[in-house]
Amino acid sequence: MSQTGYFRAIITVMRKELRDFARDRRTFLLTLLTAPLLYPLLFLGMNKLTNLRAETQLEKDLSIPVEGMARAPNLVAFLASRGINATEAPADIEGLIRSQQQDLALVIDKDFAADWHAGKPAKVEIVADTTRRTGDVQIARVRNVLNEYGQSVGALRLLARGVNPMVAAPVNVGTRDLATAEAKRGIFLSVVLPLVLMLFAFIGGSHLAMDTTAGERERQSLEPLLATPAARGALVSGKMLAAVVLGLASMLLILVSFKVSASIGGGAARSLDVSFAAMGKLLVILLPLVLIGTALLTCLSASSKSMKEAQSHMVWLMLLPMLPGYALMAYPLKDTQLWQYAVPFLSQNQMLVKVTRGEMPSATQWGVYLAASAALAVVLWAVAVWRYRQERLAIAG
């Protein structure tokens, strides 16, 4: 077969598969629109919850139970001046915290007054269950206020003895934050967006990729196609190209929905970079993942005797894009080492995080990423072609 005929066969198969898939309007629309419609709900919902948490736990007055309020009236008054109102603690405060009826409590030691007048450290305990994240903001807020109170009282005691309080602070520690404004604004985005985009890019064309091989094999419509003079490589390429087109169309709609969501969202969402240049970078990063996902699904479908067997692979396939995110939470890596950009899924995660931080990957990083992704896609394509050349592929289970 000539080169022109080879490419003509690819386009013909692609158009045929897309036309057949589009005939089932409900499946076609669900595949194409489910992710773009769900993403705004996820994005705006998480943004709303983040803003709500900041408003309710950081800005509004906080009421906490305190055991032994009468032992430290000045401390209670200082807490009230910082928006933390003390209430008398019930008898079983630990039980209430374990049952999540309270997030935290303060216990003022019975020897607090004696230690205070003796110039000794007076004990105040924060009672909380640190394994529950519902109270971590409140615990940090109370701890900071208690530290502020201790520092102010210590400074007054030194002044009363004619000592400059600065003597107790021999080192003035400051922080110079080198994070760019784009990186700070992209913290929220860099957590959610890579996971969502990688997942839908990887499996966006999964239904079409499985249906064009495992589905047709089960319906016994694959054998007539294999009997045509078209090269097996052209058949595989045409089927894969149809799934890639569908996956890219879904990705474009997801990026559009993200742009719209960031535009109408409040709080930090409005400060995110949703320019067409940023969307273009994300699309270029995700294109190799669409190719890899489609090629892998085609290989698995070619080895499956039925559509049901092919769909059983989706359980572990959906976990693959999530693994780098979970691994980096446990063991963060600097994104400067080139080997990371040759590892599937980890490379996409690092590239997406860079873009969401407002950074531009270097030319070397782009080169390693694109070359490694293209090589993996070609290998998977070759495996799928090899599987298509086996005659038993035409035999239904």
Side-chain angles (χ1 to χ4, degrees), residues 78-97:
F78 186 85
L79 291 173
S81 68
R82 297 298 186 271
I84 302 176
N85 300 315
T87 60
E88 193 63 43
D92 187 19
I93 186 59
E94 293 186 1
L96 294 177
I97 293 176

Side-chain angles (χ1 to χ4, degrees), residues 180 182-183 190 194 281-282 285 334-337 340-341 347-362 365-366:
T180 62
E182 292 80 4
S190 64
K281 294 176 187 176
L282 295 177
I285 292 171
K334 295 181 180 180
D335 58 7
T336 55
Q337 297 174 315
Q340 299 178 31
Y341 299 92
S347 58
Q348 282 85 10
N349 186 88
Q350 299 296 64
M351 294 287 284
L352 288 172
V353 170
K354 269 185 170 294
V355 172
T356 55
R357 284 175 52 86
E359 301 175 2
M360 183 64 181
S362 66
Q365 291 169 344
W366 274 112

Side-chain angles (χ1 to χ4, degrees), residues 296-307:
L296 179 57
L297 285 164
T298 303
C299 292
L300 294 173
S301 299
S303 303
S304 303
K305 296 181 179 180
S306 64
M307 187 69 172

Side-chain angles (χ1 to χ4, degrees), residues 227-298:
T228 63
R232 298 298 170 89
L235 295 179
V236 174
S237 300
K239 290 175 178 291
M240 286 179 53
L241 187 58
V244 168
V245 169
L246 185 66
L248 284 179
S250 179
M251 287 307 308
L252 284 172
L253 291 175
I254 290 175
L255 292 177
V256 170
S257 69
F258 163 64
K259 183 177 178 64
V260 174
S261 302
S263 301
I264 66 178
R270 290 186 176 274
S271 61
L272 298 176
D273 183 9
V274 291
S275 63
F276 287 105
M279 298 297 101
K281 294 176 187 176
L282 295 177
L283 188 62
V284 172
I285 292 171
L286 293 169
L287 175 58
L289 190 58
V290 176
L291 296 173
I292 292 172
T294 302
L296 179 57
L297 285 164
T298 303

Side-chain angles (χ1 to χ4, degrees), residues 94-350:
E94 293 186 1
L96 294 177
I97 293 176
R98 291 193 183 97
S99 62
Q100 302 184 59
Q101 298 182 43
Q102 292 287 346
D103 291 322
L104 77 158
L106 286 182
V107 176
I108 300 177
D109 192 76
K110 60 181 180 180
D111 297 326
F112 183 92
D115 293 336
W116 180 274
H117 292 298
K120 299 179 181 179
K123 186 177 181 180
V124 178
E125 286 184 327
I126 299 177
V127 183
D129 185 349
T130 57
T131 61
R132 301 189 184 277
R133 297 187 62 247
T134 53
D136 54 358
V137 174
Q138 299 176 7
I139 293 171
R141 181 179 173 184
V142 171
R143 190 185 303 276
N144 290 336
V145 172
L146 290 175
N147 290 335
E148 180 185 356
Y149 180 71
Q151 292 172 2
S152 62
V153 171
L156 291 175
R157 287 180 175 178
L158 290 175
L159 285 174
R161 290 165 174 77
V163 179
N164 189 341
M166 293 295 100
V167 175
V171 178
N172 184 15
V173 180
T175 301
R176 183 185 301 176
D177 193 352
L178 299 180
T180 62
E182 292 80 4
K184 293 178 180 178
R185 293 197 299 263
I187 291 177
F188 167 76
L189 180 61
S190 64
V191 175
V192 180
L193 189 61
L195 176 60
V196 175
L197 291 182
M198 287 172 59
L199 180 61
F200 286 114
F202 186 59
I203 65 172
S206 60
H207 187 85
L208 181 56
M210 292 185 294
D211 185 69
T212 55
T213 299
E216 290 187 4
R217 185 182 186 186
E218 185 177 13
R219 295 189 297 269
Q220 298 184 358
S221 60
L222 185 61
E223 184 177 0
L225 185 62
L226 295 177
T228 63
R232 298 298 170 89
L235 295 179
V236 174
S237 300
K239 290 175 178 291
M240 286 179 53
L241 187 58
V244 168
V245 169
L246 185 66
L248 284 179
S250 179
M251 287 307 308
L252 284 172
L253 291 175
I254 290 175
L255 292 177
V256 170
S257 69
F258 163 64
K259 183 177 178 64
V260 174
S261 302
S263 301
I264 66 178
R270 290 186 176 274
S271 61
L272 298 176
D273 183 9
V274 291
S275 63
F276 287 105
M279 298 297 101
K281 294 176 187 176
L282 295 177
L283 188 62
V284 172
I285 292 171
L286 293 169
L287 175 58
L289 190 58
V290 176
L291 296 173
I292 292 172
T294 302
L296 179 57
L297 285 164
T298 303
C299 292
L300 294 173
S301 299
S303 303
S304 303
K305 296 181 179 180
S306 64
M307 187 69 172
K308 185 180 296 185
E309 182 181 345
Q311 290 174 336
S312 65
H313 292 289
M314 294 303 298
V315 177
W316 64 270
L317 285 175
M318 293 182 65
L319 292 176
L320 292 180
M322 303 180 186
L323 292 179
Y326 293 133
L328 291 174
M329 289 180 187
Y331 193 85
L333 295 174
K334 295 181 180 180
D335 58 7
T336 55
Q337 297 174 315
L338 283 178
W339 67 265
Q340 299 178 31
Y341 299 92
V343 179
F345 305 109
L346 176 61
S347 58
Q348 282 85 10
N349 186 88
Q350 299 296 64

Side-chain angles (χ1 to χ4, degrees), residues 34-49:
T34 298
L37 292 178
L38 286 178
Y39 184 79
L41 298 178
L42 174 66
F43 182 86
L44 295 175
M46 293 189 66
N47 186 58
K48 178 63 178 178
L49 291 176

